Amino acid sequence: MASFPKKLIEVALPLSEINAASSREKSIRHGHPSTLHLWWARRPLAAARAVIFAQMVDDPSEYVDVLLSDPPKKRAASAEMKRRKAKDPNSSSSDQQLLEEIAAELERERLFDLIKELVKWENTNNAKLLEQANAEIWQSWRRTCAQNADHPRASELFDRNKLPAFHDPFAGGGALPLEAQRLGLEAHASDLNPVAVLINKAMIEIPPMFAGQPPVNPMSQSEQMIVPRTWSGAQGLAEDVRYYGEWMRDEAHRRIGHLYPKIEITQEMVQERPDLEPYVGQELTIIAWLWARTVKSPNPAYRDIDVPLAYTFMLSTKKGKETYVEPVINGKEYSFKVKVGVPPDLERAKRGTKLSRGANFECLLSGVPIDGDYIKQEGQAHRMGSRMMAIVAEGHRGRVYLMPEGRSENSAQETNPNWKPENSLVGKCRDQLPLYGMETFADLFTSRQLTALTTFSDLIGEAIVRIKHDAIASGREDDGQPLRDNATGATAYAQAVGLYLAFVVDKCADYWSLISSWSASRQTIRNTFGRQAIPMTWNYAEANPFCGSTGNWLAMIKWVFKCINAFPSTTRGISTQADAHSQGLSNAKIISTDPPYYDNIGYADLSDFFYVWLRPVLKSVFPELFNTLAVPKSAELVATLHRHKSKPAAEKFFMDGMTEALERLAKQSHFGYPVTVYYAYKQAETKENSGMSSTGWETFLGAVINAGFTVTGTWPMRTELSNRMVGMGTNALASSVVLVCQLRSHSAPIVTRREMLKILRAKLPKALLLLQAGNIAPVDLAQAAIGPGMKIYSRYAWSASLSEKYSGDLSGPTYRNPSNMIINGDRLTSATCINCSSGTSGDSRKIRKNPKFHIALLGRQPKKFLLACLALTVLFA
Ligand SMILES: C[S@@+](CC[C@H](N)C(=O)[O-])C[C@H]1O[C@@H](n2cnc3c(N)ncnc32)[C@H](O)[C@@H]1O
C-alpha cells in the first residue's frame, strides 16, 4: 500500500514573508528574467521558489519520531511543553500528544526560517542556502522512498538516488521551471507558444549545456592567455553575448549610423535658451526624437494643415527640471519651441491639444474640436501623419531638450527598410489600432525603426557565422550538429548565442515602436507593452539605438548579459513545445503550474509582436518552432470572444480544455506529491470582500474538480502590482491563489447537494477558525476561506466527474438498482437528459426507463452549486 507523507504546503506557509518578497521583486531589474524577454504576468521567483520547496518537503508532523529521537530537539520540545502546561494546566492533550505537536511546530518554524531566507532576492544565487534547501528536499524524498520500498513500481518511482523531475505544462515566462532547477530538480518546461518555448530554452535549457565553458571571442581568448580565469555557470556564454552584441552595434553603426545624426548646439540656439551656453559648438548625441501624430484640421479654413494630436506638451515634469513644448502659431503655420521652467499655463501644457478622455482633441490653429470618429476616419484613409515636437539629447548631467531641426526630421524619412513584418494584427492586438488604419505589425514602426530592426536582425546571421568560426579557433569541437539536437559543439554554440542576440532585437522592438512614448516624469522611453495589449498612442518617442541612454542597443545587451550570468545553469533543463491538452511530459514528475486565466491575457495574439522578428532570424535554427507564419492560436486555452464567437462557447472551450489539461496532470503527475496550480485574478475580480466571485474563477475551480482533483490547501498570494508596491499590511487583496491539489480517491464518498450543504455547514466554522488562527492577513481572509470550503467540497465525488466517463446509453443490464445505481463501481445520484435538458436529479428510475437519458451533469448545475458553496464559505468567513 503506497504511503505518502503530507507536504508542508498542505499544512502551513510563511505567507507574509513570501508575499513581501514577491511584491518587492517587481521593482528589481538587474538579472531578473523579466529583463531577458518580455512575457506577460510572470510569477515572481520568490513565490515560485517557496511553493515548489514547500511542495517537496514533508510536513514535520510526518516525522515526529525522528525529531524526538534527536536529543536537542527533544529537549527544546520538552521545555516548551513545560512552559505551556504551566500556562494551561487543564489542557486536555496527553503529554505525549503535546510533545509531538510541539516538536512538529518547532521543526516547522525551522523550515519557515529557511523559506524566509530563501525567498529574498539577495539570496537568489546563495549557493549555501540553496544547498541547504536541496538537502531538505532530499531528506523528504528519501523518507518517501523508504516508506514505499515495496511499492510494485518502486525502482521506477521511488529511486532514493534520483529526485523526481519537475514539469510545468504552462511554462510561459519560465519562473516556475527556473526555480525548480535552482532547487536542484531536473526542470521540464512546455508551452504551446513558440516564443515561451524559446524563453524557457534560454533560461533553463541552454545555460547548463554550456556551463563552465570559457567564452570563444578573440578578446576573451587573448585575455585568457595573459590572466587565466575560470568561468562558472553560464558566465562564458554571457560574455560572448556581450562581445558579439557590441560587434553588432559597431557594424550596424557603420551601416545605418547616418540615420541618427548628432545635433550641434549653435550660438543662435543660446539666444533663446541661455541654459544651452555650456554646449555651444558641441555635437550632442540624440537620445530620442519626440513626435506627435497629426491629422488634417477638420476646420475648412485649415483643411490642408496637418495639426498635432498631442496628449501632452510636457517633456520633463521633474521638480526643478520642468521643460515643455510651446507651440508658436503664425497664420496657417506653426512650429514648436522648447522652453525650460514651469509653463505659465501648466494645465494647458499638461494636456497638449487633448480635450477630454479618449480620442478627443482640438485643432491647434483654430481651436475646433477634433472628435474620435474624425480621427479614425482620417487614420483609416491613411491620412494620419506625424510632426516632430522636440529632441532629447545627452547633456553633461542629464537630458537636454531641444526644438526640432530640419536635419533630424529629414533623416527620419530618408530610409527604406529591406523587409517589414506584414503579418496582420489579430485578436488582442486589434483592440484599438485598426480603428486608426494600422492593420499589420509593419504599421507599428517608422521606416527608420524598421531599418534599424532589420539591420540588427540581419547581423545576427552574420554573428552566428563569426561565432562558429571563433569557437573552432578557440578549440571547440566542430561536429556540425545543431542546437535543436542538443549538441554542444561549435555550430550549436554559435546558434545559442544567436538566440540571445535575437532576444535583444525583440527587446529593442518593444522600445523602438510607434507605441513607445516619452515619460516626462521618468524622462525615459516607455515600452510598447506597458500593459497586456497594444494601445494607441498619440505622442511617440523614436529611440536612437546608438546613444548611451534609454532604449539603446547596448543597454539591451547589458540586460540580457546580466540575466544569463544569473541563471542557475546547474541541473538539466528541457523546454518543449506541447499542447497542455495532449501532453505526455508530466509522467511521474512534480507539477507546479500557472495556467492561463480565463480571458485575461491573449498570449498568442500579443506574442506575434515578437514572433515576427524572431522568425526570420531563428527559423533555420528551430524549424519546428517556426513552421507557421504566426503563433499558433486555436488550441490556446483562453476564453476569448473573438475566437469562439459567443460567451458560452468561449466559456465551454476554456472549461473543457482546462479540465482536459488538468486531468492529464492528475493522471500523470508523481502521485507522492501534490500538484500546485496558480490562479491569478484580473483587478476587476478582486473587489475587496467580494469573495472573488467571477466567471473565470468559478470556471477554473470547476475544471480543477472535474479533472479529478481534491483541493487540499489554498494560499492567497499578493504577487501582482497595479500602480504601486503592495506592502505588507496595506489593504490590498491577494492577486492570485495557489491551489494545492491531490488526486481524488476512487473511494471518495458521493453526496447529494443537500448532503453537501449540510456537511459544509457542519465543518466550515471549525475549518475557518483554524484558518483565522493561522498567519493570514485579515484582508485576505475572504479569499483564503475558499480553501477550507474547497477542501471539504472537493473531497466528495461529484456526479460532474462521472458525466464525461459515463455519458452514453444507460439502458442495459448494468443499471438495475433504481435507488443505488452502480456504474463501473461508482454510484450514480442524478442525471440530465442531454436531448431535452430535463433534470432527473436523483430519480434513477426515470434514467433507467428512458434509454435516452445520459449522464450529462458537466454543464450548468455543478457550477451553480459550486457558486452556492463559495457563497456559503464567504458567509461563514
Ligand atoms: C499564465 S501564463 C504562465 C506564466 C508563467 N508562469 C510565468 O511565470 O511567466 C500561461 C501560459 O499558458 C500557455 N498556454 C495557453 N494555452 C496553452 C495550451 N493549450 N497548451 C500549453 N500552453 C498553453 C500560454 O502560452 C502562457 O504562456
Side-chain angles (χ1 to χ4, degrees):
M1 172 83 177
S3 132
F4 305 115
K6 208 187 285 171
K7 300 296 165 195
L8 182 64
I9 199 160
E10 295 175 283
V11 179
L13 274 187
L15 209 53
S16 8
E17 285 81 0
I18 299 171
N19 281 338
S22 300
S23 296
R24 200 186 138 220
E25 203 177 302
K26 299 278 173 173
S27 60
I28 289 163
R29 312 252 301 139
H30 297 264
H32 194 279
S34 60
T35 60
L36 174 76
H37 192 288
L38 188 142
W39 199 250
W40 303 266
R42 269 190 161 94
R43 287 301 96 207
L45 305 186
R49 200 177 304 152
V51 166
I52 297 169
F53 176 77
Q55 178 178 354
M56 297 288 302
V57 298
D58 297 342
D59 180 65
S61 60
E62 296 286 339
Y63 55 95
V64 267
D65 49 335
V66 179
L67 297 171
L68 291 175
S69 63
D70 179 352
K73 285 186 175 158
K74 187 169 182 181
R75 269 199 302 278
S78 305
E80 177 61 16
M81 184 175 75
K82 261 192 209 145
R83 206 185 56 78
R84 287 197 198 171
K85 288 202 84 161
K87 228 174 147 191
D88 179 14
N90 303 324
S91 158
S92 59
S93 313
S94 71
D95 276 9
Q96 184 58 24
Q97 243 179 340
L98 198 55
L99 190 71
E100 287 181 2
E101 269 171 30
I102 291 172
E105 263 174 43
L106 295 179
E107 175 72 352
R108 235 173 255 131
E109 270 167 33
R110 189 187 66 79
L111 290 174
F112 274 22
D113 287 345
L114 178 56
I115 295 178
K116 287 175 195 173
E117 286 303 306
L118 210 52
V119 294
K120 288 183 185 158
W121 171 255
E122 303 71 57
N123 287 333
T124 303
N125 283 321
N126 180 333
K128 208 168 144 214
L129 195 68
L130 290 169
E131 253 170 50
Q132 216 179 318
N134 183 251
E136 295 289 347
I137 291 173
W138 272 103
Q139 260 186 35
S140 291
W141 173 240
R142 295 223 160 102
R143 242 185 323 262
T144 305
C145 291
Q147 285 172 12
N148 292 281
D150 52 359
H151 189 278
R153 290 167 66 199
S155 61
E156 172 203 347
L157 293 175
F158 300 103
D159 177 352
R160 69 187 310 277
N161 296 312
K162 191 170 185 275
L163 280 178
F166 170 92
H167 179 219
D168 176 359
F170 295 104
L176 280 53
L178 181 74
E179 289 315 311
Q181 187 177 56
R182 203 186 303 280
L183 289 170
L185 306 180
E186 178 180 292
H188 294 249
S190 61
D191 200 290
L192 185 67
N193 192 308
V195 180
V197 175
L198 282 181
I199 294 176
N200 281 279
K201 280 189 184 294
M203 284 167 61
I204 60 160
E205 187 174 296
I206 295 173
M209 286 168 76
F210 301 103
Q213 297 189 6
V216 301
N217 71 75
M219 191 193 271
S220 301
Q221 285 292 313
S222 42
E223 280 170 6
Q224 186 80 5
M225 304 263 243
I226 305 163
V227 192
R229 61 164 278 197
T230 49
W231 299 85
S232 64
Q235 285 176 339
L237 181 66
E239 185 53 31
D240 275 336
V241 170
R242 194 192 55 73
Y243 176 89
Y244 293 100
E246 283 177 9
W247 172 81
M248 282 173 68
R249 189 252 179 222
D250 295 345
E251 201 51 37
H253 191 256
R254 216 174 44 73
R255 296 178 194 186
I256 58 167
H258 61 278
L259 298 177
Y260 302 90
K262 293 189 174 193
I263 185 164
E264 189 187 340
I265 307 298
T266 61
Q267 197 62 53
E268 203 185 334
M269 291 172 167
V270 176
Q271 279 167 12
E272 290 218 10
R273 288 272 305 277
D275 63 298
L276 296 178
E277 182 70 53
Y279 300 103
V280 173
Q282 291 180 29
E283 287 207 316
L284 302 188
T285 299
I286 293 174
I287 296 172
W289 291 264
L290 309 185
W291 302 81
R293 291 175 197 267
T294 59
V295 287
K296 298 272 182 231
S297 170
N299 183 338
Y302 297 90
R303 195 171 39 223
D304 50 339
I305 313 289
D306 293 304
V307 290
L309 307 171
Y311 86 91
T312 184
F313 284 139
M314 291 305 293
L315 300 173
S316 165
T317 53
K318 198 169 170 196
K319 218 168 167 45
K321 299 231 164 154
E322 290 87 349
T323 314
Y324 61 99
V325 164
E326 186 180 82
V328 181
I329 299 167
N330 186 4
K332 278 187 151 192
E333 291 185 354
Y334 67 93
S335 59
F336 294 113
K337 276 190 176 170
V338 169
K339 298 241 166 165
V340 174
V342 179
D345 184 350
L346 183 60
E347 281 319 302
R348 175 78 217 271
K350 273 188 181 165
R351 71 167 174 83
T353 58
K354 211 157 184 338
L355 282 181
S356 58
R357 265 181 72 83
N360 292 301
F361 291 84
E362 65 181 352
C363 167
L364 178 70
L365 302 179
S366 62
V368 162
I370 311 176
D371 69 22
D373 287 344
Y374 175 80
I375 297 172
K376 285 172 193 154
Q377 198 184 307
E378 289 294 290
Q380 284 169 29
H382 302 291
R383 282 193 293 264
M384 202 176 251
S386 49
R387 176 87 177 247
M388 196 184 293
M389 291 205 310
I391 291 169
V392 195
E394 286 172 359
H396 296 155
R397 265 187 281 133
R399 319 295 195 214
V400 175
Y401 295 90
L402 301 162
M403 55 188 265
E405 44 102 57
R407 197 153 71 115
S408 281
E409 215 150 343
N410 295 340
S411 48
Q413 325 288 349
E414 74 202 9
T415 163
N416 235 334
N418 59 15
W419 179 83
K420 48 187 171 182
E422 304 277 17
N423 292 38
S424 298
L425 303 171
V426 293
K428 284 272 175 188
C429 294
R430 290 189 69 82
D431 275 0
Q432 295 184 3
L433 301 180
L435 298 173
Y436 302 97
M438 297 161 86
E439 290 285 346
T440 71
F441 282 100
D443 294 335
L444 303 188
F445 303 92
T446 65
S447 300
R448 183 160 56 177
Q449 286 171 333
L450 287 169
T451 303
L453 288 166
T454 49
T455 304
F456 279 104
S457 290
D458 292 347
L459 277 165
I460 295 175
E462 295 176 37
I464 291 179
V465 173
R466 202 166 255 269
I467 300 161
K468 180 176 170 180
H469 173 270
D470 292 346
I472 296 168
S474 76
R476 294 261 174 118
E477 192 197 343
D478 177 26
D479 56 7
Q481 296 302 308
L483 186 63
R484 64 173 180 274
D485 291 347
N486 298 322
T488 53
T491 303
Y493 184 71
Q495 292 176 339
V497 178
L499 166 58
Y500 294 102
L501 295 172
F503 276 12
V504 180
V505 171
D506 269 3
K507 287 178 75 64
C508 290
D510 190 22
Y511 280 86
W512 299 353
S513 87
L514 276 165
I515 310 301
S516 315
S517 55
W518 186 252
S519 160
S521 57
R522 289 168 42 223
Q523 299 192 70
T524 53
I525 294 177
R526 290 192 195 95
N527 62 332
T528 303
F529 288 103
R531 53 194 172 95
Q532 294 137 3
I534 308 186
M536 180 64 183
T537 51
W538 306 106
N539 296 27
Y540 65 92
E542 212 186 353
N544 177 0
F546 305 107
C547 74
S549 302
T550 174
N552 78 84
W553 170 266
L554 284 184
M556 303 299 175
I557 287 280
K558 227 182 251 173
W559 290 117
V560 172
F561 166 82
K562 284 183 180 163
C563 278
I564 306 172
N565 256 322
F567 289 142
S569 323
T570 44
T571 52
R572 210 161 80 99
I574 294 120
S575 171
T576 326
Q577 185 177 31
D579 183 348
H581 289 102
S582 50
Q583 58 88 12
L585 299 162
S586 298
N587 194 29
K589 297 200 176 69
I590 309 296
I591 310 291
S592 184
T593 193
D594 175 27
Y597 325 122
Y598 199 66
D599 60 349
N600 211 350
I601 303 173
Y603 287 97
D605 296 343
L606 296 174
S607 56
D608 269 344
F609 179 90
F610 296 117
Y611 187 86
V612 296
W613 291 108
L614 291 171
R615 191 168 185 268
V617 183
L618 295 176
K619 72 170 180 285
S620 60
V621 180
F622 298 108
E624 319 75 34
L625 285 181
F626 290 103
N627 65 7
T628 49
L629 285 173
V631 170
K633 308 213 164 42
S634 60
E636 188 184 37
L637 269 172
V638 277
T640 43
L641 259 184
H642 71 269
R643 268 183 230 150
H644 303 288
K645 307 298 174 228
S646 71
K647 269 192 170 179
E651 187 180 333
K652 182 170 171 9
F653 173 81
F654 182 81
M655 176 68 146
D656 293 353
M658 192 53 78
T659 305
E660 231 175 285
L662 294 174
E663 225 167 32
R664 298 197 82 74
L665 300 184
K667 283 185 186 143
Q668 294 183 69
S669 65
H670 196 294
F671 49 84
Y673 289 85
V675 168
T676 52
V677 186
Y678 293 70
Y679 183 84
Y681 304 94
K682 274 202 237 182
Q683 214 56 42
E685 290 178 345
T686 55
K687 273 197 203 125
E688 213 170 308
N689 299 328
S690 67
M692 304 176 310
S693 188
S694 77
T695 312
W697 173 228
E698 288 138 27
T699 310
F700 186 75
L701 277 180
V704 169
I705 291 166
N706 289 345
F709 276 125
T710 297
V711 178
T712 58
T714 53
W715 298 103
M717 298 263 173
R718 259 179 266 158
T719 55
E720 297 294 304
L721 272 194
S722 45
N723 300 322
R724 66 199 174 97
M725 279 281 289
V726 179
M728 277 168 66
T730 57
N731 207 28
L733 277 170
S735 48
S736 59
V737 164
V738 175
L739 303 173
V740 186
C741 307
Q742 291 272 14
L743 189 62
R744 192 167 41 240
S745 147
H746 285 308
S747 55
I750 301 174
V751 289
T752 63
R753 289 173 175 74
R754 194 186 294 253
E755 282 164 348
M756 171 60 82
L757 289 173
K758 220 168 130 187
I759 295 168
L760 278 170
R761 277 200 189 96
K763 294 196 170 180
L764 258 181
K766 190 170 168 217
L768 292 172
L769 268 181
L770 269 178
L771 185 85
Q772 276 165 351
N775 52 355
I776 307 281
V779 70
D780 291 337
L781 209 62
Q783 286 179 29
I786 307 285
M790 286 304 297
K791 216 163 162 174
I792 298 165
Y793 175 82
S794 62
R795 204 183 296 151
Y796 296 87
W798 255 106
S799 327
S801 62
L802 291 176
S803 62
E804 277 209 325
K805 281 193 231 160
Y806 304 122
S807 88
D809 191 341
L810 292 183
S811 61
T814 333
Y815 320 110
R816 289 253 169 72
N817 183 351
S819 59
N820 189 17
M821 265 180 29
I822 304 291
I823 306 170
N824 295 355
D826 284 317
R827 186 151 53 89
L828 171 68
T829 51
S830 65
T832 305
C833 173
I834 55 166
N835 295 334
C836 67
S837 301
S838 70
T840 62
S841 41
D843 189 348
S844 39
R845 258 168 311 176
K846 243 187 190 173
I847 304 170
R848 195 171 61 90
K849 275 189 201 149
N850 186 348
K852 277 188 193 149
F853 274 118
H854 294 247
I855 305 163
L857 260 174
L858 198 72
R860 307 282 116 202
Q861 282 181 332
K863 204 179 129 191
K864 263 191 206 155
F865 184 68
L866 175 63
L867 255 176
C869 289
L870 291 183
L872 192 72
T873 309
V874 172
L875 206 74
F876 273 117

